[in-house]
Amino acid sequence: MPTIKDVAREAGVSIATVSYVLNNKAASISEETRLRVLEAITRMNYKADVTARNLRAQRTRLIGYAWHEEKPGLQNAILSQFIYRLAKAAEACGYHVLTFTFPTGDPVSAYDEMIRTRRVDAFIVADTVENDPRIQFLIERRFPFASFGRANPLWDFNWVDTDGTSGVRAAVAHLVALGHRKIAMVTWPENGLTGYYRVLGYQQGLADANIAFRDNYILRGEQGIELGRSALAHFLSLSADDLPTAIVTVSDLIAVGVIQEAEQRGLEVGKDLSVIGFDDEPMSRYLRPPLTTVSQPLETICTELINMLNAQVHEQQEKTSQVLLTPHLVERASTGAPRRP
Amino acid sequence: MPTIKDVAREAGVSIATVSYVLNNKAASISEETRLRVLEAITRMNYKADVTARNLRAQRTRLIGYAWHEEKPGLQNAILSQFIYRLAKAAEACGYHVLTFTFPTGDPVSAYDEMIRTRRVDAFIVADTVENDPRIQFLIERRFPFASFGRANPLWDFNWVDTDGTSGVRAAVAHLVALGHRKIAMVTWPENGLTGYYRVLGYQQGLADANIAFRDNYILRGEQGIELGRSALAHFLSLSADDLPTAIVTVSDLIAVGVIQEAEQRGLEVGKDLSVIGFDDEPMSRYLRPPLTTVSQPLETICTELINMLNAQVHEQQEKTSQVLLTPHLVERASTGAPRRP
DNA sequence: CTGTTAGCGCTTTCAC
DNA sequence: GTGAAAGCGCTAACAG
């Protein structure tokens, strides 16, 4: 591998000159030598050693992303799309994404290690939980990071999030427009922030249409498909008059469960029962019927996150920013007018 | 951030001494100074700067992994599990995984860039295709890498792969044991190597049971769920006598499509029709019925890959190795004895 | 305009 | 046993 010295020798100049050419330093290099150096560079197929550059510049151009242990069946395909888009957005700014893992019990020390060894310039945190200890830690440490997801309304840090409230609200509005009045919801356990905002959207959507909120129309649980199945079973066990005609869920996976159970019980989804998911996973358009769902604007999320990092790292900006992105509803065939409104 | 100098000053020794202690260099440091240094290190919360170390050692302790653009609906959840396990296996050896992306048209130049800038010490290549240009390039370049997946039987390089042949063969054997004789297969287009090996297993499985191979029992296509659906539709269009009682597929996603179509047509999967997938995706156990499938030994795959890299990078080993891992069949309820054998 | 030189933080000979 | 010093490959004052 040629170094800057080799190029300098080849071009008959000093290494400083090569460096100037490399970095387009205004320190005006004569066109003649510039070309000579450039020619030597291409001839030797030279590229600057990034480690040496980084040592000199005291940065790594690396963004840390902690890879989450996936609980079987619980995770969605969204995260893997997310990291792909993140890598792309990072590359557009000359960064790369360095992945690492952390033990479930102790999320913080893996981040700490990365900071102390100066492995990365910043972090992207995703899949956050309420009062996420990683975020608390990074705030205290005053280390640059941006989060996909909120953690605590009182904490001041950079985050981007999908506005789950408006997403679910739009979902409910869509159902109401179709003529539904008996709309149930399936969501995660009570302690999560993401679920909280989505339930809020559900309640707002009902309120918009002057529909009373009923406790027995909301069901909570952990596991995606299973949850969807048991949720529908639960709703169908209500008295005939109370049977919901539509079900809003907080993930496509849950919606899949609802659809499976419905088909098995001979209900035609989209006709007898309307179902809405959340995420717009790649497979959702291929379900039968294709799933109406709320689409997460992943690409925008990622570019926003990277922008925040840039603002923080480069421009030493102290002010944090928060971005709430309105998702859009993708109307497909799993929703339709109720049979008996 | 404290540097080695700060520690040296704090402990009243030279930086060399600190370095010796840090690296447990046999250059016998007296127990007394060793403790003094150690104490200074903890007091200052010091950790060696990894960039400086890397520059000195001429390595990065980074493994490059190119993130593939995911075609919506085509990808499986396996890859995202794979990269998590890979990150874990890498960390066990003091490495981290650096992700990058490449444009579909030109896979090679992104790898080239990483090499020339000395960004990574090695690559892990996954999701390979026949005659994969990335592999050809890395072989020519003589750059350390290991591949999850084969590419060309004539090329000599490090790879680990799931033995699709034995996996599908076992799947067929399972069906035969249950009493099936009319076993069809759904697979990818003809040009892929992975699909080739799996079809081979299908043929071997039939041969094992003295069942004749029929052309119209094999269907090919691209898109997972859709393919499964249309495949079943095709098979059901055969004359009554020819109707297959079991279907083997090359992915869980395809199997999902088959199951969906079957349910919709009133067939009870596991009774009227047996279906087998491949991959054992996280969600597959939660399908109704739970999917019988061939499980990829991801954890072993990843540790093997990292081992190969270690052998190549550390021990300058020239000899390549190839590992074919036998997957195991996970028997669940989507398979059962045929109704009319 | 170009070259000399001092580091960035660390490891490792080579002296003492 | 410990320290001085060279140097990994690069950038950026500072001279000239």
Side-chain angles (χ1 to χ4, degrees):
Chain A
M1 284 285 197
T3 75
I4 198 171
K5 267 186 194 162
D6 301 320
V7 177
R9 193 182 332 104
E10 179 85 5
V13 296
S14 76
I15 61 165
T17 306
V18 177
S19 177
Y20 292 141
V21 172
L22 238 46
N23 300 289
N24 290 316
K25 271 290 173 285
S28 37
I29 300 291
S30 78
E31 193 58 16
E32 189 203 323
T33 46
R34 213 180 66 86
L35 285 176
R36 199 143 39 90
V37 170
L38 247 30
E39 205 235 335
I41 286 176
T42 43
R43 189 164 50 235
M44 312 190 71
N45 195 26
Y46 169 80
K47 261 273 179 180
D49 182 314
V50 82
T51 306
R53 274 196 161 162
N54 288 345
L55 176 59
R56 179 62 233 240
Q58 295 293 78
R59 51 146 173 65
T60 64
R61 300 214 144 271
L62 250 29
I63 294 171
Y65 173 84
W67 201 260
H68 308 266
E69 184 134 20
E70 316 213 4
K71 302 148 209 154
L74 267 181
Q75 92 296 14
N76 51 18
I78 283 303
L79 269 189
S80 85
Q81 301 211 135
F82 170 73
I83 176 143
Y84 173 75
R85 299 233 173 260
L86 187 64
K88 263 205 117 104
E91 283 170 22
C93 305
Y95 282 86
H96 284 292
V97 174
L98 171 52
T99 62
F100 62 103
T101 68
F102 60 84
T104 343
D106 171 24
V108 164
S109 61
Y111 285 84
D112 191 41
E113 174 88 5
M114 299 298 261
I115 295 175
R116 288 171 57 206
T117 56
R118 286 78 135 196
R119 237 312 173 207
V120 301
D121 293 345
F123 292 103
I124 293 290
V125 175
D127 212 12
T128 58
V129 299
E130 192 166 7
N131 296 321
D132 201 302
R134 300 172 298 165
I135 292 181
Q136 188 174 24
F137 170 76
L138 293 172
I139 293 173
E140 274 171 14
R141 259 314 205 138
R142 309 182 124 275
F143 196 84
F145 78 101
S147 164
F148 172 22
R150 286 163 278 185
N152 183 320
L154 299 175
W155 295 352
D156 180 42
F157 64 99
N158 283 310
W159 57 257
V160 181
D161 206 358
T162 302
D163 187 352
T165 302
S166 81
V168 176
R169 189 176 188 170
V172 173
H174 167 62
L175 292 170
V176 168
L178 287 170
H180 294 270
R181 306 283 298 171
K182 296 177 186 161
I183 302 168
M185 177 167 205
V186 189
T187 181
W188 299 299
E190 200 120 25
N191 51 358
L193 209 51
T194 310
Y196 167 77
Y197 288 118
R198 298 202 187 164
V199 170
L200 206 62
Y202 169 65
Q203 292 169 329
Q204 290 181 1
L206 294 182
D208 291 343
N210 282 314
I211 302 173
F213 171 80
R214 336 161 151 208
D215 252 359
N216 61 351
Y217 263 22
I218 195 156
L219 200 84
R220 296 171 184 278
E222 291 273 5
Q223 206 289 316
I225 294 187
E226 288 279 271
L227 172 58
R229 286 188 167 278
S230 55
L232 183 60
H234 161 79
F235 291 133
L236 294 186
S237 74
L238 298 177
S239 71
D241 238 32
D242 285 349
L243 292 182
T245 60
I247 297 179
V248 174
T249 69
V250 291
S251 82
D252 285 3
L253 223 50
I254 296 174
V256 166
V258 172
I259 291 176
Q260 283 182 8
E261 188 72 24
E263 295 238 318
Q264 196 151 45
R265 287 166 179 260
L267 292 175
E268 191 176 351
V269 173
K271 298 269 173 68
D272 302 315
L273 180 74
S274 288
V275 180
I276 300 189
F278 203 110
D279 286 345
D280 193 19
E281 293 205 22
M283 58 123 74
S284 299
R285 78 180 65 212
Y286 298 110
L287 296 173
R288 178 78 51 97
L291 185 65
T292 295
T293 185
V294 180
S295 171
Q296 298 231 31
L298 284 183
E299 194 161 347
T300 317
I301 289 170
C302 290
T303 52
E304 285 289 354
L305 286 170
I306 298 292
N307 285 346
M308 287 177 178
L309 250 34
N310 268 328
Q312 218 178 144
V313 176
H314 287 267
E315 296 141 37
Q316 338 270 50
Q317 191 172 326
E318 273 295 316
K319 249 187 87 217
T320 62
S321 56
Q322 290 74 36
V323 174
L324 205 50
L325 293 167
T326 305
H328 73 276
L329 187 72
V330 184
E331 298 179 19
R332 300 206 185 97
S334 70
T335 46
R339 274 251 161 95
R340 15 170 183 55
Chain B
M1 285 285 196
T3 72
I4 197 170
K5 268 188 194 160
D6 302 320
V7 176
R9 195 183 329 105
E10 179 84 5
V13 295
S14 75
I15 61 166
T17 305
V18 177
S19 177
Y20 293 142
V21 173
L22 238 47
N23 300 288
N24 290 314
K25 271 290 171 286
S28 38
I29 299 291
S30 77
E31 194 57 17
E32 189 203 322
T33 45
R34 214 180 66 85
L35 285 175
R36 197 143 39 89
V37 171
L38 247 27
E39 205 234 336
I41 286 177
T42 43
R43 188 163 54 236
M44 311 189 74
N45 195 27
Y46 169 80
K47 262 274 179 179
D49 182 313
V50 82
T51 306
R53 275 196 160 162
N54 288 344
L55 176 59
R56 179 62 231 238
Q58 294 292 79
R59 53 145 172 65
T60 63
R61 300 216 144 269
L62 250 29
I63 293 171
Y65 174 85
W67 200 261
H68 307 267
E69 182 135 23
E70 318 215 0
K71 303 146 208 157
L74 267 181
Q75 93 295 16
N76 51 18
I78 283 303
L79 270 187
S80 86
Q81 302 213 132
F82 170 73
I83 175 145
Y84 172 75
R85 299 236 171 256
L86 186 65
K88 264 208 120 104
E91 282 170 24
C93 306
Y95 281 86
H96 284 292
V97 174
L98 171 53
T99 62
F100 62 103
T101 68
F102 61 85
T104 341
D106 171 25
V108 164
S109 62
Y111 285 83
D112 190 42
E113 175 88 6
M114 300 298 261
I115 295 176
R116 288 171 56 205
T117 57
R118 288 77 137 194
R119 239 309 174 209
V120 300
D121 293 344
F123 293 103
I124 294 289
V125 175
D127 212 13
T128 57
V129 298
E130 192 167 6
N131 296 321
D132 201 302
R134 301 172 297 165
I135 292 181
Q136 187 173 25
F137 170 75
L138 293 172
I139 294 174
E140 274 171 15
R141 247 342 193 123
R142 310 182 122 273
F143 197 83
F145 78 100
S147 163
F148 172 23
R150 287 163 276 184
N152 183 320
L154 299 176
W155 296 352
D156 180 43
F157 64 99
N158 283 309
W159 56 258
V160 181
D161 205 358
T162 301
D163 187 353
T165 303
S166 80
V168 175
R169 190 175 186 171
V172 172
H174 167 62
L175 292 169
V176 168
L178 286 170
H180 293 270
R181 306 283 298 172
K182 295 176 186 162
I183 303 168
M185 177 169 207
V186 189
T187 181
W188 300 300
E190 199 120 26
N191 51 357
L193 209 52
T194 310
Y196 168 77
Y197 288 119
R198 299 202 185 163
V199 170
L200 206 61
Y202 169 66
Q203 293 168 327
Q204 290 181 1
L206 294 182
D208 291 342
N210 282 314
I211 301 174
F213 170 80
R214 339 161 150 207
D215 252 0
N216 61 351
Y217 264 21
I218 194 156
L219 201 83
R220 297 171 184 277
E222 291 273 4
Q223 207 289 315
I225 294 186
E226 288 279 273
L227 171 58
R229 287 189 167 277
S230 54
L232 183 60
H234 161 80
F235 292 133
L236 294 185
S237 73
L238 298 178
S239 72
D241 237 31
D242 286 347
L243 291 183
T245 60
I247 297 179
V248 174
T249 69
V250 290
S251 84
D252 284 3
L253 223 51
I254 296 174
V256 166
V258 172
I259 291 177
Q260 282 182 8
E261 188 72 24
E263 296 237 317
Q264 196 151 44
R265 287 166 179 259
L267 292 176
E268 192 176 351
V269 172
K271 299 268 174 66
D272 302 315
L273 180 75
S274 289
V275 180
I276 300 189
F278 203 110
D279 285 346
D280 194 18
E281 294 206 20
M283 59 124 73
S284 299
R285 76 181 65 213
Y286 298 109
L287 295 173
R288 179 76 50 96
L291 184 65
T292 295
T293 185
V294 180
S295 172
Q296 298 231 30
L298 284 183
E299 194 160 346
T300 316
I301 288 169
C302 290
T303 52
E304 285 288 353
L305 286 170
I306 299 292
N307 284 346
M308 287 177 178
L309 250 34
N310 269 327
Q312 218 178 145
V313 176
H314 287 269
E315 296 142 36
Q316 337 271 49
Q317 191 173 329
E318 272 294 317
K319 249 188 87 216
T320 62
S321 56
Q322 292 74 37
V323 175
L324 205 51
L325 294 166
T326 306
H328 73 279
L329 187 73
V330 183
E331 298 179 20
R332 300 204 184 99
S334 70
T335 47
R339 276 251 160 95
R340 15 172 184 55

